[in-house]
Amino acid sequence: MKPNHDFTSKLKQAGIRVTPQRMAIYSLLMDYKNHPTAFMIYEQIRENFPSISLMTVYNTLNMLADRGLINVLGHAGDDSVHYDADIEPHVNLACISCHNIVDINSKYVNQMTNEINSTSGYQLFGARVLFYGNCPACQNQSRSH
Amino acid sequence: MKPNHDFTSKLKQAGIRVTPQRMAIYSLLMDYKNHPTAFMIYEQIRENFPSISLMTVYNTLNMLADRGLINVLGHAGDDSVHYDADIEPHVNLACISCHNIVDINSKYVNQMTNEINSTSGYQLFGARVLFYGNCPACQNQSRSH
DNA sequence: TTGTTATTTTATAATTATTATAATATTGTA
DNA sequence: TACAATATTATAATAATTATAAAATAACAA
Ligand SMILES: [Mn+2]
Ligand SMILES: [Mn+2]
Ligand SMILES: [Zn+2]
Ligand SMILES: [Zn+2]
């Protein structure tokens, strides 16, 4: 596996040792925009990396989250935690039928973040902004059942 | 237990049978503003209602959430789900040290909600807006350790 | 009020996402 | 290359949540 210097330097900067497993997990989360769960990541990576264990996926995700390199979105109508490599505050839109999560642009998120940063008195680490409902595809399915 | 007609009518409107347990759970969540977990609710209610079971708390919370009467906030640095009786989109502020969640006013939340409602194409049921960091009290504790 | 039926509560067991452990393997470094 | 610190893996344990089914209760009609 050839080292991807983008990820390598990011991990090193955060004081995390570079391993093939961590590179694979981190870069998958950066490349795919689908806000996966630990198990979804595990299944994807296993195709190119058959010996990886689910424990390594959890360890890596926890480590990346602790250092602030990724964001923990929480549940999306299912019962496992979804992750997001985009740590800039932004609006996520979850479908509680198909459990997909997509990003959506909003011009108000930055203003809201600045407002909370300056007025709350909290030392902020991140934001979890998630609206939920039914996506267009799932609305059609339930209409024509 | 005397019936509280506010909650009674709300439950009836939602097609939910009125029971003392459900009244206790729903009104506790409305009265306390601390965004509790199922177990925290269970412990509180048990003081005046010694025979209640944790299963009833989960059943009721799931039912209220399904009907849109309460909001599911998700984890707050711990590993159990927090609930909120305030279903209007608003900013929640979680401390990842002490796991307390408080509300904070923001003038941008409503604008953001309207924006997403009109542009997303999703049939929206609710929002989970949660910023996380260290609260002032926990900042002081870690400074003077 | 009383009887009837559907629903709810409860105790209990089962499930499952996540974490802990400890032996083996790998990384960073000299 | 060799060493020490750290990571990975297989496995077992934990704990939040859900499933089940018998007993209790709410709604409602006679
Ligand atoms: Mn996102
Ligand atoms: Mn709130
Ligand atoms: Zn959908
Ligand atoms: Zn705190």
Side-chain angles (χ1 to χ4, degrees), chain A residues 95 98 135 138:
Chain A
C95 175
C98 65
C135 73
C138 288

Side-chain angles (χ1 to χ4, degrees), chain A residues 122, chain B residues 95-100 133-139:
Chain A
Y122 277 55
Chain B
C95 175
I96 61 173
S97 281
C98 63
H99 306 147
N100 278 341
N134 273 325
C135 73
C138 288
Q139 289 173 50

Side-chain angles (χ1 to χ4, degrees), chain A residues 33 35 71 73 83-88 90-93 101-104 129:
Chain A
K33 301 290 186 185
H35 307 83
N71 199 17
L73 280 183
Y83 296 87
D84 194 343
D86 185 356
I87 54 177
E88 288 301 305
H90 65 278
V91 178
N92 296 277
L93 207 42
I101 305 178
V102 300
D103 291 333
I104 185 173
V129 181

Side-chain angles (χ1 to χ4, degrees), chain B residues 92-107:
Chain B
N92 297 277
L93 206 43
C95 175
I96 61 173
S97 281
C98 63
H99 306 147
N100 278 341
I101 303 178
V102 299
D103 290 335
I104 185 173
N105 273 335
S106 168
K107 51 191 169 194

Side-chain angles (χ1 to χ4, degrees), chain B residues 2 10 30-32 35 37 80 96 114 116 124-125 130-131:
Chain B
K2 65 179 168 229
K10 273 210 168 188
M30 295 284 264
D31 292 345
Y32 289 81
H35 308 82
T37 65
S80 47
I96 61 173
N114 292 337
I116 293 161
L124 289 185
F125 298 147
L130 192 124
F131 284 74

